Amino acid sequence: RRRGKTNMATEGDVELELETETSGPERPPEKPRKHDSGAADLERVTDYAEEKEIQSSNLETAMSVIGDRRSREQKAKQEREKELAKVTIKKEDLELIMTEMEISRAAAERSLREHMGNVVEALITLTN
């Protein structure tokens, strides 16, 4: 039978097979990989430190910009309040809005002043 012959291998055949496995140019033998956490951790730390340096240098600039913006906004608010305080409103209009809308005196007065004393516009705004 042929089965016996195919299972038998000569020494030359075995050596040839070993040679093709070890000397194949396509794939070099794999080296065992070690976990290189030290380099990865160092990379993360240096990235974090660099980001902190950038953030701290920009922090002063950002804070001054925010401070300037806040002071401008505060100034604009004060100007708006001064303008609203100049608006004359009628006591009857104020009481009408307070009773009809069931809101505080301050809220009714604010609405009336924002609408230059026009009771109809103030009521329309409050209902919407």
Side-chain angles (χ1 to χ4, degrees), residues 29-110:
E30 284 193 31
K31 296 178 185 175
R33 292 186 179 183
K34 294 179 185 175
H35 181 65
D36 195 14
S37 67
D41 290 343
L42 184 61
E43 182 77 21
R44 273 189 245 122
V45 168
T46 53
D47 287 348
Y48 178 75
E50 289 170 357
E51 286 176 19
K52 280 298 213 186
E53 287 175 11
I54 291 169
Q55 288 175 357
S56 66
S57 67
N58 291 337
L59 183 62
E60 293 172 11
T61 308
M63 290 303 288
S64 68
V65 168
I66 291 170
D68 291 345
R69 186 183 319 160
R70 281 189 181 162
S71 65
R72 282 195 306 265
E73 288 172 359
Q74 194 70 16
K75 202 175 217 181
K77 249 185 195 176
Q78 288 173 351
E79 292 295 321
R80 176 80 175 136
E81 292 300 320
K82 285 180 185 178
E83 288 176 22
L84 290 178
K86 292 178 186 176
V87 175
T88 56
I89 55 173
K90 296 179 184 172
K91 187 177 180 180
E92 307 88 45
D93 294 343
L94 181 63
E95 290 174 3
L96 172 73
I97 290 177
M98 286 172 51
T99 55
E100 291 298 318
M101 300 306 295
E102 298 177 357
I103 58 174
S104 68
R105 178 179 279 291
E109 187 175 333
R110 176 77 181 191

Side-chain angles (χ1 to χ4, degrees), residues 87-89 93 97 111-123:
V87 175
T88 56
I89 55 173
D93 294 343
I97 290 177
S111 180
L112 263 174
R113 289 188 187 280
E114 286 177 348
H115 294 92
M116 302 301 175
N118 187 332
V119 70
V120 176
E121 286 182 17
L123 282 169

